[in-house]
Amino acid sequence: HEGATVCALVGQGISHSLTPPMHEREAAAHGLHHSYLVLDVPPADAPTFDLGAVLDRAQAIGMRGLNVTHPFKQRVLDLLDELSPGAERLGAVNTVVFDDGRRIGHNTDWSGFARNFDLGFGDESPDPVSRSAVVQLGAGGAGAAVAYAMLTRGVGRFHIVDADPVRARALAESLRPLFVDTTVTAGGVDDADTLIARADGLVHATPIGMAAHPGMAVSAGTLRADLWVAEVVYRPVVTELIANARSVGARTLTGDGMAVHQAVDALHLFHGIEPDAARMTRHIRDL
Ligand code: NAD
């Protein structure tokens, strides 16, 4: 098709990703013929998967760009010509744009979370939340992007909790030099309840609450009306954490907002369009 563009998502366990239909429908609403493919790499093949060959081929056939997800967000760094400042500071890329023979890496996970936060809880919301003390649960791939995003929004004390405390501490150490005005600490789950009791907000970035991992990563007793909760899990949109937080009267931000805004930012980078986030939110809720 004349004017058709092709992009793809490359990662593991992504055959049911909602990103392709979100991209294709929103691009169509802008009059673009945008095909968005999925390259789901079997877990056994991931360690030896030749990501460089995929980038070469994608570029050679004129693809506009790629989204890259677990387990390739770090591995792709060495295959790029240039990084956006956020991707460079975070050390992770989820969007590669082919631009005149050059490969430019961006990270719309952090920018998508940050934009959603600004609109719902931050400086673009009618009533911005306090950020004197924030606790984040989860220091994995999503956790790293979300923690970076939170710190760009000005947090006084930021504590990272992970079931694997070594992982939590490594993330804290990587963020500390970038955000010298924030006290960044980290640890395991044991003292999480005590720290949450003193916090203004809770950011949840573990897989707990997904259909495959039901439940909550915090005890229900830690939730209270004056503790805001930002969720990263978006399938289901109303996780057990979100439902429990709402039931005690807490302000909540659901994970679909991050999913939508990472796609908004990627579509903007691929095509220069201004996607309609509200329309994409309605769409993702239908999927
Ligand atoms: P990951 O496996 O890289 O990291 C998860 C981390 O959570 C691990 O470090 C693990 O030790 C920790 N953890 C697990 N259970 C815990 C518990 N009970 N208490 C404390 N820590 C615990 O996974 P990820 O890629 O970071 O994804 C996490 C979640 O974020 C997934 O549900 C994913 O679907 C979601 N996600 C959402 C978006 C979005 O756009 N909304 C984007 C990316 C990921």
Side-chain angles (χ1 to χ4, degrees), residues 4 30 39-40 67 129 139 142 175 182 205 213 216 234 271 274 286:
H30 290 260
L39 184 52
D40 192 357
N67 283 127
V129 296
L175 293 167
T182 303
H213 305 278
M216 286 205 294
Y234 67 101
H271 299 299
E274 300 300 338
D286 287 347

Side-chain angles (χ1 to χ4, degrees), residues 117-141:
F117 184 91
D118 290 346
L119 294 169
F121 277 176
D123 295 343
E124 290 178 55
S125 77
D127 184 15
V129 296
S130 300
R131 278 159 268 169
S132 303
V134 175
V135 173
Q136 176 174 312
L137 300 170

Side-chain angles (χ1 to χ4, degrees), residues 70 73 109 137-144 161-164 167 189 204-208 210 216-217 231-234 255-260 262:
H70 176 78
K73 287 181 184 177
D109 290 326
L137 300 170
V161 174
D162 197 287
D164 176 355
R167 209 171 196 192
V189 292
H204 177 252
T206 87
I208 311 297
M210 299 175 76
M216 286 205 294
E231 173 69 284
V232 161
V233 174
Y234 67 101
D256 56 338
M258 174 185 178
V260 164
Q262 62 80 20

Side-chain angles (χ1 to χ4, degrees), residues 133-137 155 157-161 191-204 218 227-228 230:
V134 175
V135 173
Q136 176 174 312
L137 300 170
V155 175
R157 277 176 291 127
F158 191 69
H159 184 78
I160 306 166
V161 174
D191 50 358
D193 285 5
T194 318
L195 287 151
I196 294 168
R198 294 190 223 125
D200 304 303
L202 177 67
V203 178
H204 177 252
V218 290
L227 178 78
W228 56 261

Side-chain angles (χ1 to χ4, degrees), residues 54-132:
V54 170
L55 275 124
D56 289 345
R57 186 84 190 118
Q59 204 169 11
I61 64 173
M63 286 174 71
R64 184 62 56 100
L66 296 172
N67 283 127
V68 176
T69 189
H70 176 78
F72 302 122
K73 287 181 184 177
Q74 275 92 27
R75 214 191 293 176
V76 73
L77 292 169
D78 289 340
L79 302 167
L80 305 173
D81 298 303
E82 199 181 310
L83 294 176
S84 69
E88 178 148 32
R89 283 156 61 91
L90 192 48
V93 159
N94 81 325
T95 304
V96 178
V97 178
F98 300 129
D99 183 13
D100 233 0
R102 293 175 61 74
R103 299 168 176 178
I104 304 162
H106 300 264
N107 190 303
T108 70
D109 290 326
W110 89 261
S111 63
F113 181 89
R115 178 85 187 123
N116 189 49
F117 184 91
D118 290 346
L119 294 169
F121 277 176
D123 295 343
E124 290 178 55
S125 77
D127 184 15
V129 296
S130 300
R131 278 159 268 169
S132 303

